[in-house]
Amino acid sequence: MFLIFSYNLVFASTGDNSTSVKLNSYYENYKEILNEAEIKGINYNEYLKEHDTKLRPNVKYEIDAKDYINTDGMQVKEYANYKGMGGISIYTGEKGYIDYNVNIEEEGFYDISIVYYPIEGTGGPIQRAIFVDSSLPYKELGLVEFQRIYVNATNKWQRDNRGNDIIPEQKEKPDWITSYCYDSEGYVTENLSLYLTKGVHKITLYSIREPMLLHKIILDNSSKVLPYSEVIKNLDGKGIKDTLNQEIRIEAEDANKKSSPMLHPTQDKSSPAVYPYSPKELKNNTVGSDGNWSIVGQWLEWDFNVPESGYYYITMNVRQNFVRGIYTSRKITIDGKVPFEEMNSYGFTYNSQWHMVTLENSKGEKYKFYLEAGKHTIRMEVVLGNFGNIVSQVQGVMQELNSTYRKVIRITGVDPDSYRDYNIEQNIPELDKELIDERNKLNAAIKDLQKVAGTGSDREAALSTMVADLNYVIPDVERLPAILGAFKMDISALGTWITGVVNQPLAVDTIYIHSPNVKITERNNSIWNRFVHEVKSLYYSFVIDYNAIGNVAKGGRGTRTITVWIGSGRDQANVLKKLIDETFTPKTNINVNVMLVDMNMLLPATLAGQGPDVAVQVATDLPMNYGLRNAVVDLKKFRDIADVKKQFRESAMVPYEFGGHTFALPETQTWPMMFYRKDILDELGLKVPETWDEMESALSVLSKNQMDLGMLPDENIFAMLLYQNGGKYYNSDATSSELDSDVAVKAFKEYCKFYTDYKLDTQNPVDQRFRTGEAPIVIADYTLYNQLQVSAPDIKGLWGFSMVPGTVTKDGKIDYSVGSTGTATIMLKQTKNEEASWEFMKWWVSTDTQIKYSQELEALMGAAARYPTANIKAFESLPWPSDDYDALKSQAKWVKGIPQIPGSYFTWRNINNAFYTVVFAENNNKMEPREALTEYVRYINDEITFKRQEFGLSIPKK
């Protein structure tokens, strides 16, 4: 008998059905527990070993959301009978936590599932941590993701005036969802479970990202999925027979639901074997053909109807030409259930061509699926499958070997002397045993890899190379310093291996549900078909202008048409053109031709009178250079310029304004942030430095351990130190440099000191050194965050980021000022329609457009393409985890712009020259910081004076 317990507990709320909460120490305690668990916590497999996995009671506990006992730091609110769900549901905000009690009658393991509604947020995945009795049972519960639901805004494709399909907008279509908890990294493929003893337990949902409407928490045990042999035997025993002559065809691009806006229809014109096909126009004809369906947890669903009950085959026209040496996996469910064990992870092997695949076992025996007459839903979800444990093993080995590398460099430095004996065996006792243990784990991983991918896979190379290194070192650990550089590179190769394996792309054109007696044949896929396709494609490459994006408007009476140039990339250009056609042209009746060009051509094109009306995403220094030469329109002439500028921080406008003129509007704005490795700082007993004094203390500890601060010398680093010390670049009328002032010289001395006294690295990319741990603290542009999220899964959860260190001022306060950079949009002087161009520029930088562009770009290209918009309100809408957004928002209050003036291009060039004279010059060429900066400021002032004369500006009397 299956018992169900339901709990109804009393809670206090305010009269408006919302509960007021206040922040207390428990919220901060949970944050500390999460950080500690990422560093020292156990994983799910280790957790299972601590308990009897056979204890799975046939009991179900349902905890109503309204029965919470406590909240802290979280916005909560009651919703009654919301969207078809009877009873009370609770809105839980993107910060804080909420507690529930449950009385367990029978000890054992319980699966956790949540009944929730993905209420509107910023569009990112909903993330929660789950605590039991104020502790985190295992690491995987520190980050559990709950999906949203998206659909194509239309299933009738719109076309541009050149016959190309327009990729449809992906629209969120929320619904009530019941979801088990899964490992967000995909290493564990089964439901996550909790072992609960008899008695009352407290379950805490801790918000990391996005709000959620919570209806119920369920603890139960789902039925075990049987292997195919048992399932088919049971069905045969019931007299189930093959259907006859049935064929249901599903076009993959017509997916009814999907978990991510990234999973939009894709356009493949590389082969005639897809449908619909055209060698000329772009057609929405596949999903995943650009590699965007590859992240663990992403799923697509298709609805279909079968006319009669019985057995069916499932055949797909697929292509997996992304990953060699291994297969990519999909979990296939029908009507929300895995039909048999083999569908938990079905592998698609590498093939460069589109081809038909009928789901079958390793012996080539086709799987039969029992379907009753009527409507069904098939879902395909990205999973790691058999690779999950392998990747988890390799990641563990990589982290241990990185730790070993750090131990070694504390003794030898990063560039050891090959003739010196470092007594490694004495200084690092039992190192050989540690290395043997890691080698054995790698060998086990290789064997597991061979079982699932076969021997000779090119995916073995990185693992085998690392094993060879260890085999060389283990007999005599004193050999390690001699190969330390190769050892480090091979550890990095393991990280690259992990990134490659967790990426699981697959392209699908068509899905067939058909009777076993119906044979599905490949279409248009012969050698002759492909040859004809290549000839046609070659011909059209001479006929079609691929630089033009989307609709191409032709001028005429009563119409206004402008040309916009963009140089960042085709995906960005496609998104821009799509938004123009959807929201700009219909409202303004202004046609826009978007051209994808190399922005280096802007100057010669402008001089030749062939330039655009508007250029977007241009570099920070370009507007001033063009503006001084009267090549761009002064935007001050437009009456509503003041209202437009209110959308940006004052610092964002600084590079584009001079002498009462405004030469551009900002599009993006970025600034430095501080990134830090939680695990290494904990290992060294260091806290995250908040001031430069604390940073110098931390640097002394890092230096003793042969580590350092990752901070490449560039203008933003110098500007940060200059502004924090109260300095500025130019005098009030911008006629001379202020960099020879005592404040600027002091800032320059501090800037140089990091590379002379502390010997900070000036060349190697900080992201790699951050991953290896050589630089456990990094100061870099905040867009490094997106890069690490995507390309560094091996250190996921082991790092954080915060405001940069500040300078303590005379009054005891801390100044956290930083400089910023970005891109802008300009209106070229040659435009014949200034009003239309201005309308476009206003639309482009507006809040709604920037939000939409950010969302569409991230949906198309993933989190790595998160757009650093300069629009303040649009920036607030980006899907950052709440703690990370708070850090960005705090730093944004201290952002200052770097001014552009006549001759300013000479400023950073000569600051850099002075820096190299101090840091790198030898013998008589070497100079002290004050001497060097004062010397090169003369060149800066001479250039400013020269340029002011050239542009007819006043020259101050000497």
Side-chain angles (χ1 to χ4, degrees), residues 141-154:
L141 285 181
L143 180 60
V144 179
E145 291 193 349
F146 298 94
Q147 303 286 357
R148 297 180 177 275
I149 299 175
Y150 294 87
V151 297
N152 295 331
T154 177

Side-chain angles (χ1 to χ4, degrees), residues 189-237:
T189 55
E190 61 195 63
N191 307 341
L192 296 178
S193 300
L194 286 173
Y195 189 87
L196 299 173
T197 56
K198 287 184 180 181
V200 176
H201 294 276
K202 182 176 70 173
I203 295 179
T204 301
L205 297 185
Y206 176 95
S207 291
I208 298 174
R209 183 181 188 182
E210 297 290 309
M212 168 200 282
L213 195 57
L214 180 65
H215 184 71
K216 193 173 290 186
I217 301 171
I218 301 172
L219 302 175
D220 66 359
N221 279 291
S222 53
S223 57
K224 184 180 178 182
V225 180
L226 299 175
Y228 177 73
S229 58
E230 293 185 35
V231 170
I232 202 70
K233 182 179 178 181
N234 293 337
L235 291 171
D236 286 345

Side-chain angles (χ1 to χ4, degrees), residues 19 135 137 156 163 243 274 335 348 397:
T19 302
S135 66
K156 187 176 181 181
T243 57
V274 296
D335 300 329
F348 295 85
V397 169

Side-chain angles (χ1 to χ4, degrees), residues 935-947:
E935 172 73 18
Y936 281 98
V937 165
R938 290 195 299 109
Y939 300 136
I940 295 172
N941 284 330
D942 287 346
E943 188 66 15
I944 292 173
T945 301
F946 175 75
K947 287 298 176 184

Side-chain angles (χ1 to χ4, degrees), residues 28-47:
E28 295 300 323
N29 288 345
Y30 280 127
K31 288 176 68 173
E32 290 179 13
I33 292 171
L34 278 176
N35 288 334
E36 185 77 11
E38 290 291 354
I39 301 168
K40 301 176 181 177
I42 63 172
N43 62 35
Y44 184 61
N45 289 328
E46 292 169 329
Y47 178 76

